[in-house]
Amino acid sequence: MEETISKNFIEQIIEKDIEEGRYQKIVTRFPPEPNGYLHIGHAKSILLNYGLAEEYGGEFHFRFDDTNPAKEEKEYVQSIKADVEWLGADYKGHIYFASNYFDKMYECAEFLIKKGKAYVCDLTPDEIREYRGTLTEPGKNSPYRDRTPEENLQLFRDMRDGKFPDGSKVLRAKIDMTSGNMNMRDPILYRIARMEHHNTGNKWCIYPMYDFAHPLEDAFEGITHSICTLEFEDHRPLYEWVVNECEFENPPKQIEFAKLYLTNVVTGKRYIKKLVEDGIVDGWDDPRLVSLSALRRRGYTPEAIRKFMELVGVAKSHSSVDNAMLEYCIRDDLKLKRPRMAAILDPVKLVITNYPDEQIEYVDVPNNQENEEMGTRQVPFCKELYIEREDFKIERPKKYRRLYVGNEVRLMNAYFVTCTGYDADEDGNVTTVYCTYDPASRGGNSPDGRKVRGTIHWVAVPTAKQVEVRLYENIVDEEKGVYNEEDGSMNINPNSLTVIENAYVEPALSDFKPGDSFQFMRTGYFCIDTKDTTEDHMVFNRIVSLKSSYKPN
Ligand code: ATP
Ligand code: MG
């Protein structure tokens, strides 16, 4: 049988380029601006670029696009680096800072000036805008457009040497003021701005614009395929102009793909920042967010994120992916890998009246019923247990198979028990459930072929560990959607966090460390919070519930 794996459009371009000998080896890059934390959308770009380099035996470059001194912060450099490494995008030493290329960029600008392809312009920002024209009207030439290369060179050097005030002059590309593409109407290449840069300090008072800097960074590093998101499509002619006029051999080519959007999920930096500043979430790594640090803290694995990106694929037009698909991926990743443990989130006490008072016995429990290789563990069992409140009912609802007076159920991996009665307080809240057990059903096996229809989980009271559990829901009100149409604010779900202070877990959970994850039987996947867990207070984050609304084809 012939296997056909369909290649995405970027792979097709790359394969053609290799076939035609345009590039010997492909080089891709991820170029974040260090002005915020990375989110799930960036992970798409990272894994796409890294994956292509791996697939074609090329190189993957990790470059901080730090040419704009106004916006960058060192703190972000650290977090971005940690996220890229966590995702497993091994850049093999190819880590770069665009600001290290300022000298070379300056040389390129002089090169263009000498070629008559760039000029110093004295128009004010307002005049430049006015001269630029509109989408329907052509622009007109700046009166400074015909300065000679010699004059331009002198003026540009004077700009560099700090002889002019901020904003008084710019260097512009000499392209075409009548171009149908506004980006080609003599775009600005350099501006004067006395700002300190985190890397170069006060060495420069002129800084390159993004549309000039970015293609040069790519070209200097020998990038072959510069993959960016769709909003740069209109900038591609300028990208090509820059690398061609600067006369790079084998210049890189820009390819655009659609950004990743998740339905009802906040990804925009601006909005996340607002949630953090308004105290609605507890920092950039709040587990309800989709920054990579938040997903990591929530218990997502790099494998799940990679799987998700494979399912999403690469497209040329915008669409929004259902969040349930991301949840499916983490469930699928943890299912066979992580142990299944007992935790009682809403406890009620169960007393086995015919069980010896002081006795503790150990029952054998599989670590993962679906993966025998994970072995078994010994779990203490005794007369008093915690069970989930919803596993006992005073009045039996239709089809209910768990505990009610007179019914027999299986305590998972332990014994059959029959409910004999209960205590309740004045408000009718059940405080204790009473049962008798059948010693012959040890291991939860029927001694005589009789069947029980319900199985519930439990935790022995004397050895149980009291912990905090945090249940998360979408921070966005899914009924209303992310943004409020009227004022652009966000529709916040007031119930996105539920804190349970008195959950009980089996003692084996003490052996795990922050960041470890597992299934809590019957309730979902959880991980130990890395930020708020202390020696004597364990905090668990719900990664995802067990049920899914998404099915892969
Ligand atoms: P945002 O404003 O959403 O935080 P950005 O585009 O300002 O994102 P950059 O640091 O400039 O962030 O982005 C680095 C790289 O990540 C760019 O190549 C950009 O195209 C890519 N990227 C950003 N957001 C997404 C997304 N949602 N899907 C895919 N790629 C993305
Ligand atoms: Mg950006």
Side-chain angles (χ1 to χ4, degrees):
M1 205 178 77
E2 199 182 329
E3 198 186 350
T4 53
I5 300 167
S6 67
K7 301 276 174 181
N8 69 45
F9 76 97
I10 301 179
E11 290 170 317
Q12 289 171 14
I13 294 173
I14 290 176
E15 288 184 9
K16 188 153 178 280
D17 285 340
I18 292 174
E19 222 172 86
E20 291 173 357
R22 175 161 175 176
Y23 303 113
Q24 303 312 318
K25 175 170 95 173
I26 76 146
V27 187
T28 60
R29 88 284 177 267
F30 173 64
E33 219 181 317
N35 65 351
Y37 289 84
L38 298 185
H39 56 62
I40 186 83
H42 296 111
K44 173 158 188 174
S45 173
I46 295 166
L47 293 172
L48 173 64
N49 282 289
Y50 170 69
L52 289 168
E54 288 292 291
E55 184 179 349
Y56 296 103
E59 260 170 37
F60 167 69
H61 289 195
F62 175 25
R63 180 204 312 143
F64 285 99
D65 205 337
D66 60 351
T67 53
N68 182 356
K71 287 201 293 194
E72 290 116 19
E73 283 183 46
K74 270 189 178 157
E75 173 199 350
Y76 296 127
V77 170
Q78 283 316 313
S79 83
I80 291 172
K81 191 161 171 278
D83 288 343
V84 169
E85 290 171 4
W86 176 70
L87 274 179
D90 185 358
Y91 46 85
K92 303 181 179 115
H94 291 289
I95 182 166
Y96 304 101
F97 286 83
S99 57
N100 286 337
Y101 306 138
F102 279 155
D103 286 296
K104 287 165 91 175
M105 289 174 185
Y106 178 84
E107 281 165 30
C108 288
E110 285 208 352
F111 182 78
L112 292 179
I113 293 170
K114 290 174 195 159
K115 268 179 90 174
K117 295 287 181 180
Y119 62 98
V120 172
C121 180
D122 301 0
L123 292 178
T124 65
D126 281 342
E127 287 166 336
I128 289 182
R129 209 169 302 126
E130 204 179 300
Y131 275 67
R132 225 173 145 220
T134 63
L135 281 173
T136 49
E137 272 169 61
K140 53 183 190 203
N141 287 349
S142 159
Y144 305 99
R145 201 173 197 262
D146 295 320
R147 282 174 164 159
T148 62
E150 292 70 31
E151 191 186 353
N152 281 318
L153 198 57
Q154 191 55 52
L155 286 168
F156 188 53
R157 288 178 179 171
D158 289 345
M159 276 170 66
R160 175 198 62 190
D161 295 340
K163 298 202 176 147
F164 307 117
D166 283 8
S168 61
K169 286 183 171 38
V170 290
L171 182 73
R172 298 177 71 173
K174 195 170 184 175
I175 308 179
D176 179 7
M177 289 306 291
T178 64
S179 171
N181 183 336
M182 300 284 281
N183 295 309
M184 299 298 273
R185 295 186 187 172
D186 291 10
I188 298 174
L189 305 181
Y190 262 93
R191 64 194 165 122
I192 308 175
R194 286 170 176 77
M195 283 187 285
E196 185 169 314
H197 188 278
H198 76 97
N199 178 22
T200 55
N202 292 311
K203 176 176 175 189
W204 296 93
C205 67
I206 56 170
Y207 289 98
M209 303 301 286
Y210 180 87
D211 278 340
F212 183 54
H214 198 83
L216 292 179
E217 292 158 24
D218 286 344
F220 295 151
E221 288 177 19
I223 301 296
T224 54
H225 300 83
S226 175
I227 300 164
C228 64
T229 44
L230 281 181
E231 68 272 24
F232 291 100
E233 198 165 13
D234 285 348
H235 297 242
R236 192 186 334 131
L238 179 52
Y239 185 102
E240 287 169 355
W241 185 90
V242 171
V243 294
N244 289 329
E245 290 298 344
C246 290
E247 300 179 20
F248 286 96
E249 255 175 68
N250 251 354
K253 61 157 84 164
Q254 175 180 309
I255 305 170
E256 308 87 17
F257 73 103
K259 271 195 175 182
L260 170 69
Y261 291 105
L262 292 174
T263 313
N264 284 330
V265 169
V266 188
T267 45
K269 250 175 234 169
R270 197 155 58 89
Y271 292 97
I272 293 182
K273 205 167 182 172
K274 185 148 171 46
L275 291 172
V276 174
E277 280 166 3
D278 294 354
I280 292 168
V281 297
D282 146 43
W284 284 84
D285 60 355
D286 185 293
R288 289 165 292 176
L289 299 174
V290 289
S291 63
L292 293 178
S293 50
L295 288 168
R296 178 161 66 234
R297 183 173 166 201
R298 175 97 174 235
Y300 271 82
T301 58
E303 290 80 6
I305 293 175
R306 282 202 291 268
K307 166 94 186 176
F308 174 65
M309 297 307 168
E310 273 166 36
L311 287 176
V312 170
V314 188
K316 197 74 188 157
S317 61
H318 283 303
S319 65
S320 184
V321 178
D322 190 343
N323 199 21
M325 194 156 136
L326 183 59
E327 296 187 338
Y328 162 80
C329 291
I330 184 64
R331 234 181 248 119
D332 193 55
D333 184 48
L334 300 179
K335 191 167 72 184
L336 301 181
K337 281 209 288 218
R338 304 301 307 163
R340 300 181 181 183
M341 314 296 287
I344 303 296
L345 304 190
D346 185 7
V348 69
K349 208 178 263 184
L350 179 135
V351 176
I352 305 171
T353 51
N354 62 338
Y355 193 88
D357 278 351
E358 303 296 327
Q359 179 171 310
I360 290 193
E361 68 174 298
Y362 287 83
V363 297
D364 214 27
V365 172
N367 285 322
N368 187 325
Q369 296 91 312
E370 292 183 74
N371 180 1
E372 276 185 18
E373 281 175 23
M374 290 186 67
T376 61
R377 67 180 179 280
Q378 296 280 296
V379 177
F381 180 88
C382 63
K383 186 183 183 85
E384 294 202 351
L385 309 170
Y386 289 118
I387 61 167
E388 290 287 355
R389 182 166 295 278
E390 59 160 34
D391 285 339
F392 171 79
K393 296 280 186 224
I394 299 174
E395 300 286 345
R396 181 195 179 191
K398 247 193 188 161
K399 292 193 182 156
Y400 188 80
R401 292 168 178 179
R402 288 167 278 164
L403 285 171
Y404 51 90
V405 175
N407 194 37
E408 185 171 48
V409 303
R410 175 188 292 107
L411 293 177
M412 205 184 277
N413 303 304
Y415 290 101
F416 285 11
V417 290
T418 304
C419 185
T420 54
Y422 65 94
D423 289 338
D425 63 17
E426 296 127 43
D427 303 324
N429 298 313
V430 175
T431 52
T432 310
V433 177
Y434 296 97
C435 286
T436 54
Y437 84 121
D438 177 357
S441 62
R442 194 169 196 277
N445 303 310
S446 180
D448 53 10
R450 77 179 187 273
K451 289 201 164 59
V452 292
R453 296 175 73 194
T455 299
I456 67 174
H457 69 289
W458 48 271
V459 166
V461 171
T463 53
K465 193 174 166 63
Q466 189 176 345
V467 301
E468 178 181 329
V469 172
R470 298 175 182 170
L471 305 179
Y472 301 105
E473 278 175 39
N474 198 342
I475 187 91
V476 167
D477 183 333
E478 296 190 357
E479 305 264 286
K480 294 186 186 149
V482 182
Y483 308 110
N484 187 335
E485 303 264 303
E486 268 153 41
D487 57 3
S489 64
M490 277 170 283
N491 295 315
I492 304 294
N493 170 10
N495 305 314
S496 61
L497 171 65
T498 305
V499 177
I500 300 171
E501 303 276 1
N502 67 328
Y504 289 96
V505 297
E506 63 171 285
L509 278 156
S510 306
D511 301 339
F512 290 92
K513 54 182 199 311
D516 285 345
S517 58
F518 11 72
Q519 188 188 107
F520 279 168
M521 291 171 204
R522 302 174 62 216
T523 41
Y525 290 94
F526 288 77
C527 86
I528 304 175
D529 190 61
T530 47
K531 203 168 170 181
D532 296 335
T533 295
T534 61
E535 280 278 314
D536 40 34
H537 183 66
M538 289 183 98
V539 178
F540 291 81
N541 296 316
R542 180 167 71 191
I543 307 168
V544 69
S545 62
L546 291 181
K547 283 185 225 93
S548 170
S549 59
Y550 171 80
K551 288 262 178 309
N553 351 334

